[in-house]
Amino acid sequence: MILINQSRLIKYYRINTITRLFSDFRFPDNAPRTADNQSWLEHLENQDKLSENISNAEDYSINAENEDIIDKSLNSRFSYKVISRPPESRYIEIKSPLQNFTSLKYLKSLENDINKNKNRQTGFIDTRIIKCRSGNGGHGAVSFFRDAGRSIGPPDGGDGGDGGSVYIQAVEGIDSLAKLKTTYIAQDGKAGTADQLDGAKGKDMLITVPIGTTVRWCMDPVEVKKFIKEKNLADNKQSIREFTQSHDISLQCVGKLELNNDPFQIQMFRESYKPGKGWIFKGKDEEYHLQQPWFKTLNKRVTTFDVQLRITETNEDRFPLYGIDLSKATTTPICLLKGGNGGLGNMHFLTQMIRNPRFAKEGRNGLEQHFLLELKTIADIGLVGFPNAGKSTILNKISNAKPRIGHWKFTTLVPTIGTVSKGVEETPFTVADIPGIIEGASLNKGMGLDFIKHIQRSKSWVFVLSLESPDPIEDMKTLVYELGGMDKVTTKNILVVCNKADLLENNETSIEKFSKVNEFCKKNNWDCIPISALKNENIDELIQRMAKSIRMKD
Ligand SMILES: Nc1nc2c(ncn2[C@@H]2O[C@H](COP(=O)(O)OP(=O)(O)OP(=O)(O)O)[C@@H](O)[C@H]2O)c(=O)[nH]1
């Protein structure tokens, strides 16, 4: 293959035609010699036992040295059944609910009874499905050197350029997925040309997302919608949620030996030519060539080369089943889809037997896949509570954030993050206010539990109860239930805040309510504090307790 600087040199000579007039001018010659081609093809012949079985292929994982980006939070929620695990191959066929590979938010438009509130979240986009396509490799060229003295010289067709790849990177300074495009297409590689010129490599495509974005492989939403419409509307029995939970999709996965060989990565497949195919013929066609013994011998060897190419692709074209979690700024962009390899130019096929190779190879195709991007804001503390409990008022008092406050329910429609600064000496911490949770939220009532993802990674959860409520303990229990039960809740450091304590003054029932909550918290070993966000009472103490809660157990 020709190095870039050499290609430039060649271009220079082409432009500077006067140079050609000098008889001692030697055109730069980077084409492999007959002997080089011969030994390359013989080397391939010795490897012809190599099968397409990838069991011995080197283990490849997305950025092997950077495995901490694999999203582990999904492990427990992700259900699948292994359908087959042939001993001779590393492919594991699994079946898993469609719900794991699509976004309910995207499919909701099919349902008629959409809660209008949910449609009002236009400014803040935290879920996107994007289509990505890596570039096809350019085709190799069929060309022969010509000059005044020789009507036809040795083959000098250059290789096709590799297709561009699609990368993703999490960066500071973006806080929404709103600006993402729907489609990201990397450029195709250019075809090789005469004079041993390799085609240019296709331009890569880089997707920049906010820190805290998770990326999962998913199905084409248009196809999913069509499938649901056809299947479900006929029966019209299930909601979209139920439908996606009860219908499975099957996938080819690859395991990892050190992980009990459990399915670990989804295998993606390129629609490219099969080994031994993908020839471009100039002059006589494929049928003629396939009858020639010399071509048959050559093709047998080149088939081995194609198989090797395919093994490399197979090892690279994988994506973690649970997705990746870009919780930190990514220093090196992560490759989502690799571009196709460029095809070989005819200069590679000059051997003692073949003096006049009128054929080259096609470039390999790129990949087209969909990915589900979800932004999970990263705040140290998440505020959870019923609507109207006073969460936004608290965030307003303790931090620089200015969330909407109102005496009506669901004032907060999108998560708001505030930074709490306790002075120059101490590290500030962040607090997220999410829309209120109500009974049945886990069944999508009210604003549903869609926003929970924004506090999933928070170390502490602060339950905000209102002493105005008839039964704050019951509220607390409902919140715990809706958030996934005690097992889930106790994975976080918990602080319980009894807000609207100004109502305690001279009010025996309110005092009794607080004592009961306090008692309940003691039993669970949770910290509990009364405050009045409205009257700014006990706010400094609340900030201290919040800071303490993040320092607690990991
Ligand atoms: N008396 C009293 N009222 C309060 C207190 N804190 C908040 N409120 C009032 O309670 C109402 C709701 O407050 P928000 O801060 O919007 O409540 P929220 O929990 O964010 O509500 P959603 O956005 O619906 O989730 C507002 O009218 C506030 O003025 C308090 O300490 N005492």
Side-chain angles (χ1 to χ4, degrees), residues 386-394 404-412 433-436 499-503 531-535:
F386 272 40
N388 246 345
K391 299 178 295 302
S392 307
T393 315
I394 295 176
R404 283 209 313 168
I405 297 171
H407 58 272
W408 61 89
K409 289 182 179 178
F410 296 118
T411 325
T412 313
D433 173 25
I434 59 164
N499 190 29
K500 309 198 183 179
D502 45 299
L503 305 173
I531 65 156
S532 168
L534 193 71
K535 297 202 169 165

Side-chain angles (χ1 to χ4, degrees), residues 2 192 226 343 402 483:
I2 301 166
K226 228 166 53 191
K402 295 281 164 274
L483 288 168

Side-chain angles (χ1 to χ4, degrees), residues 72-317:
K72 294 178 188 84
S73 66
L74 260 183
N75 281 19
S76 52
R77 289 189 288 134
F78 205 98
S79 61
Y80 62 81
K81 266 189 240 135
V82 172
I83 301 302
S84 71
R85 197 194 288 263
E88 72 284 359
S89 130
R90 273 187 63 198
Y91 289 140
I92 306 163
E93 194 191 341
I94 65 159
K95 273 197 170 174
S96 182
L98 174 60
Q99 194 189 37
N100 290 329
F101 307 101
T102 188
S103 156
L104 281 181
K105 256 194 179 177
Y106 261 72
L107 304 174
K108 276 276 147 68
S109 55
L110 277 181
E111 270 180 334
N112 302 326
D113 59 333
I114 317 163
N115 183 334
K116 294 232 162 60
N117 273 335
K118 288 175 199 158
N119 279 350
R120 277 202 269 146
Q121 303 150 16
T122 41
F124 183 85
I125 306 277
D126 60 0
T127 309
R128 292 292 300 267
I129 289 184
I130 54 166
K131 179 162 126 182
C132 300
R133 191 167 81 74
S134 58
N136 296 334
H139 297 330
V142 180
S143 163
F144 296 90
F145 177 66
R146 281 164 210 275
D147 71 359
R150 272 198 285 192
S151 61
I152 185 150
D156 69 352
D159 301 336
D162 293 343
S165 303
V166 181
Y167 291 90
I168 195 159
Q169 185 175 28
V171 293
E172 310 261 5
I174 324 177
D175 54 9
S176 157
L177 300 177
K179 293 227 168 103
L180 284 186
K181 292 190 279 183
T182 346
T183 312
Y184 288 88
I185 300 177
Q187 216 180 30
D188 292 341
K190 294 270 179 315
T193 49
D195 296 345
Q196 307 159 15
L197 285 175
D198 284 352
K201 185 186 178 303
K203 260 198 186 154
D204 293 330
M205 180 53 82
L206 179 64
I207 308 166
T208 42
V209 292
I211 297 171
T213 305
T214 59
V215 187
R216 275 193 290 148
W217 179 89
C218 73
M219 308 265 300
D220 179 350
V222 179
E223 292 296 317
V224 174
K225 275 188 181 181
K226 228 166 53 191
F227 176 67
I228 296 180
K229 253 189 185 155
E230 279 166 17
K231 276 265 188 191
N232 199 34
L233 290 191
D235 312 343
N236 212 7
K237 283 180 191 125
Q238 293 176 304
S239 69
I240 304 266
R241 182 181 289 268
E242 287 163 348
F243 186 90
T244 54
Q245 275 169 352
S246 60
H247 286 75
D248 288 340
I249 64 161
S250 71
L251 278 176
Q252 297 273 33
C253 290
V254 185
K256 250 190 152 208
L257 288 177
E258 57 276 31
L259 290 176
N260 302 329
N261 213 11
D262 283 341
F264 172 68
Q265 288 180 300
I266 296 169
Q267 182 70 59
M268 302 182 275
F269 296 96
R270 285 169 198 259
E271 281 174 17
S272 217
Y273 61 81
K274 296 217 163 64
K277 300 280 176 196
W279 288 102
I280 301 165
F281 296 100
K282 221 173 179 183
K284 303 256 176 30
D285 63 3
E286 183 169 11
E287 210 176 309
Y288 162 83
H289 279 93
L290 286 174
Q291 282 162 7
Q292 310 305 314
W294 50 266
F295 185 79
K296 278 192 202 160
T297 315
L298 173 81
N299 196 23
K300 203 175 149 221
R301 292 165 170 178
V302 176
T303 303
T304 309
F305 176 75
D306 291 345
V307 168
Q308 285 174 344
L309 252 185
R310 213 153 94 155
I311 290 176
T312 316
E313 280 170 1
T314 317
N315 289 330
E316 287 173 344
D317 298 346

Side-chain angles (χ1 to χ4, degrees), residues 18 38 77 98 106 129 139 160 190 193 208 289 301 317 319 351 360 370 382 422 424 451 460-461 480 487 506:
I18 303 159
Q38 202 80 33
R77 289 189 288 134
L98 174 60
Y106 261 72
I129 289 184
H139 297 330
K190 294 270 179 315
T193 49
T208 42
H289 279 93
R301 292 165 170 178
D317 298 346
F319 192 77
T351 64
H370 287 79
K422 293 204 302 147
V424 277
F451 290 103
S460 306
W461 281 354
V480 170
D487 286 351
N506 311 321

Side-chain angles (χ1 to χ4, degrees), residues 460-473:
S460 306
W461 281 354
V462 172
F463 283 87
V464 181
L465 306 177
S466 164
L467 290 173
E468 207 177 22
S469 152
D471 193 348
I473 293 229

